[in-house]
Amino acid sequence: MGAFFEECYDVVRQVPKGRVATYGQVARLVGRPRSARFVGFAMHGSPGMAEGVPCHRIVFRDGSLAPGFAFGGPEVQREMLEEEGIPFTADGRVDLAACQWEV
C-alpha cells in the first residue's frame, strides 16, 4: 500500500485551503475509483500538515466527517475546516455544494 498511500498524499496536497474533497474523489484521481476505503486508511496513516498533507480536508461523500479523525477526532477536524472558512450545514456536515474541490 505504500505507493498507493503516497499517490493519495500527492493528490491531497493539491486540495486548496478553503476546499474539501471526498474519499471517493481522491480514489478516482489516483486511478482507483473503487478504493475510497483505502484512501481512508491512507488518511488515517497520514503524516498530516507536518508534511504538507491536509488530510483534514477529506470528507465522506455526504459531507460528514470521519468519526476517527487521526489528529484528535471530528471536533478537531471541524475546527480546522472552520478556520479555513469551510461552511457546514445545520446537521453538521460540510456544505459540499459550496466548497467541494473541482479538479
Side-chain angles (χ1 to χ4, degrees), residues 29-91:
L29 290 169
V30 297
R32 301 219 11 221
R34 300 184 57 82
S35 297
R37 182 178 303 255
F38 293 105
V39 172
F41 296 148
M43 295 304 101
H44 187 75
S46 163
M49 289 301 290
E51 291 190 30
V53 182
C55 59
H56 65 284
R57 296 181 187 147
I58 310 305
V59 299
F60 289 112
R61 68 178 173 210
D62 68 351
S64 59
L65 304 179
F69 180 69
F71 305 101
E75 299 83 15
V76 173
Q77 183 180 14
R78 182 176 176 135
E79 287 175 16
M80 294 173 78
L81 292 172
E82 286 177 332
E83 286 175 9
E84 295 186 8
I86 299 293
F88 283 78
T89 61
D91 65 357

Side-chain angles (χ1 to χ4, degrees), residues 1 3 5 9 14 20 33 35 42 47 51 66 68 72 76 78-79 81-82 90 93-95:
M1 279 295 169
F5 279 23
Y9 301 155
Q14 297 174 51
V20 297
S35 297
E51 291 190 30
V76 173
R78 182 176 176 135
E79 287 175 16
L81 292 172
E82 286 177 332
R93 293 178 292 137
V94 169
D95 184 351

